[in-house]
Amino acid sequence: MFDRLSSLIIALTLIAIAAILAALAPDQALALALLTLAGFAAAAILYLAVPAAPTEAHTAASAPSSSAPSLLRHPGFARWAGQEADPFIGTRGNVVTFANDAALELLGPHIAGADIRTAIRHPAAAEWLADAGKPGTPQEVSLVDFPRPGQRWTMRAAALPEDERIIILSDRSAIDAAERMRSDFVANASHELRTPLAAILGYVETLQDPDGDADPALRRRFLAIIEREARRMQQLVLDLLSISRIEADRFRRPTAPVDLAGVVGDTVAQLRETDDARAQDIVLTRPDDPMPILGDTAQLAQLAHNIITNAMKYGRAGTPIIVRLERTSGRVRLSISDEGDGIAPAHLPRLTERFYRADEARSRAVGGTGLGLAIVKHISERHQGQLDIASEVGRGSCVSVSFPPAQ
Ligand code: ADP
């Protein structure tokens, strides 16, 4: 009702008035009654001024009481921590006095009132908690393989008065996985470049050997290999550059309307002009009117090119490659089907990973970089496309992307 100081003043004033009235009272009984009444009233006012005990569900019942104001027992803190995705734990000494929902979910409901060293069962945590606050102790500790093997969390603590502290846990597993992916990517890219580079250097050395065979036919063969390997490297570098450019633009949605039918038509026309005989097997089916989507022309052309050339590479020679554009379920859909060996179901979920190949030897034989479908996936995502790869072993594959139409 009142704060503590006001209540005290009111209570004292009440007692003072009662004392004056008692002094003026005609008999002793009335004076005693007046003083008793005032005493009760003052006690009631003071009682109401004492703050209520915290009622938050996650405040451990066994928390030692304290007269000092505690951040951990403030209802506002419990509300705020309850909305946090990271686990928050409050302790007094080593006893857990507070845990938000995320902490209870991670460590179990039994942690309220438990010893923090048993609540967080990790050797690094126990050691760090014992030293926390001492000079030279790091601000943060890494909990490797916590709570399960392969995961990593970090733990930080903020000291509060009266031997209380707030402990915050953060999940670093996803960051670690992204970092691992990045370093794997660099290692894979280096390996992919090293193989053709070694072949080029080997053949150049052979050609430079003064005692070597100067047979012109052999020379031509070696030069052809050098050219093929150099082109493989060139394609790899171009694909790597594409991936990094598309990734950099990932969050920038295209805003200009582009006619997807026109882009795919141009891509097919360009392929037909090449000396790849398979390009003549492309059958393009599209409506006559434009099919606008919000897009980046160069990236959409690259997406169509990568899927169509895969069908050319992996489809059986002489069989048709059907490139179809249609409006379906309120979206604009591009689908490319081929007749070939198809892809085993186990490979399907991994085909869009960088450098993943269903058939390693075949991919290398046809000059594949293993990046084509990873690029397709990134371009599709940037255009809010839905990528679908369906395949039947021995029959063939159908890769489709459906985009929202431009309004
Ligand atoms: P690559 O450069 O090796 O073709 P992609 O990322 O384009 O790499 O494709 C990944 C793998 O998916 C290929 O190595 C191949 O094994 C498989 N693949 C892709 N498209 C087809 C297809 N149309 N038919 C059969 N296999 C395919």
Side-chain angles (χ1 to χ4, degrees), residues 239 306-307 310-315 338 340-343 351-353 355-360 362-364 366-375 389 391 396-399:
D239 280 356
N306 286 6
I307 306 175
N310 271 354
M312 288 163 58
K313 287 188 294 191
Y314 301 110
D338 64 66
D341 294 340
I343 309 159
L351 290 183
T352 54
E353 287 175 22
F355 299 116
Y356 188 86
R357 292 155 164 118
D359 184 339
E360 183 94 26
R362 179 111 190 255
S363 162
R364 291 189 191 281
V366 294
T369 60
L371 291 173
L373 288 179
I375 292 173
I389 306 174
S391 191
S397 312
C398 177
V399 180

Side-chain angles (χ1 to χ4, degrees), residues 77-404:
F77 172 76
R79 257 198 309 279
W80 172 76
Q83 289 161 4
E84 283 297 305
D86 278 345
F88 274 67
I89 302 157
T91 58
R92 172 184 281 263
N94 280 321
V95 177
V96 175
T97 57
F98 174 88
N100 69 352
D101 286 341
L104 295 173
E105 198 180 314
L106 177 73
L107 303 169
H110 57 276
I111 64 164
D115 188 305
I116 183 67
R117 292 162 296 186
T118 52
I120 304 175
R121 284 179 188 277
H122 193 281
E127 203 177 303
W128 185 81
L129 282 164
D131 292 342
K134 289 186 193 157
T137 311
Q139 293 279 302
E140 191 177 276
V141 66
S142 233
L143 310 181
V144 179
D145 290 334
F146 173 84
R148 275 167 285 281
Q151 298 190 346
R152 185 175 74 91
W153 286 66
T154 56
M155 183 163 92
R156 281 169 293 146
L160 298 174
E162 307 231 349
D163 202 18
E164 285 193 321
R165 59 185 160 186
I166 301 175
I167 293 167
I168 305 157
L169 294 164
S170 308
D171 188 357
R172 303 285 161 182
S173 313
I175 295 170
D176 288 357
E179 193 47 51
R180 246 190 331 268
M181 245 174 79
R182 194 186 306 278
S183 62
D184 283 356
F185 176 58
V186 172
N188 284 335
S190 312
H191 175 74
E192 295 280 338
L193 283 167
R194 205 177 50 181
T195 315
L197 194 58
I200 291 171
L201 288 173
Y203 283 105
V204 167
E205 269 173 28
T206 312
L207 286 173
Q208 281 175 334
D209 185 357
D211 307 326
D213 197 335
D215 175 6
L218 200 63
R219 217 180 142 74
R220 268 200 305 280
R221 200 164 75 79
F222 285 179
L223 283 171
I225 295 172
I226 292 172
E227 190 196 353
R228 192 191 64 207
E229 295 301 313
R231 290 209 184 282
R232 186 193 291 279
M233 283 179 73
Q234 186 186 35
Q235 189 55 50
L236 191 60
V237 170
L238 288 174
D239 280 356
L240 288 170
L241 281 174
S242 289
I243 282 232
S244 76
R245 250 188 251 124
I246 297 161
E247 280 213 325
D249 279 345
R250 193 162 33 147
F251 299 115
R252 232 171 281 149
R253 291 246 178 279
T255 50
V258 170
D259 174 21
L260 185 65
V263 173
V264 175
D266 290 348
T267 307
V268 170
Q270 277 168 16
L271 283 167
R272 283 185 182 141
E273 278 168 22
T274 63
D275 53 10
D276 189 333
R278 276 294 272 157
Q280 306 315 316
D281 297 328
I282 300 173
V283 180
L284 176 60
T285 316
R286 53 161 286 191
D288 291 333
D289 53 330
M291 304 181 92
I293 65 167
L294 294 181
D296 177 314
T297 307
Q299 287 189 359
L300 291 171
Q302 191 172 10
L303 173 140
H305 178 277
N306 286 6
I307 306 175
I308 298 172
T309 50
N310 271 354
M312 288 163 58
K313 287 188 294 191
Y314 301 110
R316 242 187 315 280
T319 57
I321 295 154
I322 314 288
V323 178
R324 191 189 304 279
L325 274 155
E326 60 197 330
R327 287 191 183 81
T328 165
S329 315
R331 290 173 82 91
V332 173
R333 182 169 185 259
L334 164 68
S335 62
I336 292 122
S337 336
D338 64 66
E339 294 173 21
D341 294 340
I343 309 159
H347 294 296
L348 291 178
R350 300 197 57 192
L351 290 183
T352 54
E353 287 175 22
R354 297 151 176 188
F355 299 116
Y356 188 86
R357 292 155 164 118
D359 184 339
E360 183 94 26
R362 179 111 190 255
S363 162
R364 291 189 191 281
V366 294
T369 60
L371 291 173
L373 288 179
I375 292 173
V376 165
K377 184 185 118 182
H378 279 95
I379 296 176
S380 165
E381 277 175 359
R382 187 176 171 224
H383 289 77
Q384 290 174 281
Q386 218 169 302
L387 172 65
D388 183 56
I389 306 174
S391 191
E392 213 178 309
V393 175
R395 304 273 316 250
S397 312
C398 177
V399 180
S400 66
V401 193
S402 65
F403 301 97

